[in-house]
Amino acid sequence: MTKNTATEKEEKKKDIMRKAFDCFCKHGLNDTSVKLVAQACNMAIGNLYNYFKNFDDLILQSTAFCMGEVEDEFMQLSPKSPDELERFIDEIPRWTAINHGAKYRFMYQVYTSPKYLGEGKKFFQGVTKRYCEYAKILEKLLHIPYNDVQAFIFFFVRACVHYALFGEEDYLTSQTVMLKKMLKAMYQYRDLLK
């Protein structure tokens, strides 16, 4: 296989994963058949298996890939300076719910299923590693130690996902108020040490 053909096949696979994931999000884990996915991808069922070992492989790869894209998009919107933190805390949960609520619901269907629980654990171990790496980048921008930034990311993402799943305003308000208090305390403590 030439390099160009390999690249084209990889791009086609990404396109299939995105379309399949949208189909899964629309119909749910139990109500999405391979036939429905093939129709969403505008291809024959047999052609799907040129890219995936089986239907479970398609489910797992498309979930991991598409949720990785959600994570990347989320991180691209993250604050680049301390002045942007409050805006980020206020805006992102609703943005996430509107743009990615169905994706989070499907992801949890997959990774909490006994059939895929092991894959879910691996996925979230990867998330933890990526958040740690990202926290190290943000440490320089926000002037907060990376381990505190990482805790902040976990806390904030949990609040965003919970809101995306359930739309519970009281929960979101309590979480964002607490996050703002934590940030204020971190910056005050940092200033005391100067």
Side-chain angles (χ1 to χ4, degrees), residues 93-94 96-98 101-102 104-105 158-173:
R94 286 173 183 79
T96 300
I98 291 166
Y104 286 116
R105 281 188 286 282
R158 186 180 69 200
C160 289
V161 171
H162 187 281
Y163 184 74
L165 292 172
F166 305 110
E168 195 176 306
E169 289 290 337
D170 290 342
Y171 178 87
L172 179 62
T173 299

Side-chain angles (χ1 to χ4, degrees), residues 69-118:
E69 288 191 326
V70 168
E71 186 181 300
D72 290 344
E73 188 178 355
F74 189 92
M75 292 304 178
Q76 287 173 0
L77 296 172
S78 68
K80 307 297 185 260
S81 73
D83 297 339
E84 297 178 20
L85 280 165
E86 286 209 22
R87 174 206 51 83
F88 184 75
I89 292 169
D90 290 334
E91 292 176 4
I92 293 302
R94 286 173 183 79
W95 172 86
T96 300
I98 291 166
N99 291 289
H100 302 302
K103 295 172 186 176
Y104 286 116
R105 281 188 286 282
F106 181 71
M107 178 192 71
Y108 277 100
Q109 285 179 42
V110 172
Y111 291 144
T112 60
S113 166
K115 185 175 186 179
Y116 305 124
L117 193 59

Side-chain angles (χ1 to χ4, degrees), residues 98-155:
I98 291 166
N99 291 289
H100 302 302
K103 295 172 186 176
Y104 286 116
R105 281 188 286 282
F106 181 71
M107 178 192 71
Y108 277 100
Q109 285 179 42
V110 172
Y111 291 144
T112 60
S113 166
K115 185 175 186 179
Y116 305 124
L117 193 59
E119 291 300 318
K121 287 179 181 179
K122 286 184 211 170
F123 175 79
F124 285 105
Q125 286 169 349
V127 167
T128 299
K129 183 179 177 186
R130 288 188 299 278
Y131 285 176
C132 181
E133 291 165 1
Y134 195 69
K136 289 177 181 178
I137 294 168
L138 286 177
E139 176 180 42
K140 296 174 184 127
L141 299 171
L142 304 179
H143 313 292
I144 300 172
Y146 86 89
N147 53 341
D148 292 339
V149 174
Q150 186 177 9
F152 176 83
I153 291 171
F154 283 129
F155 195 89

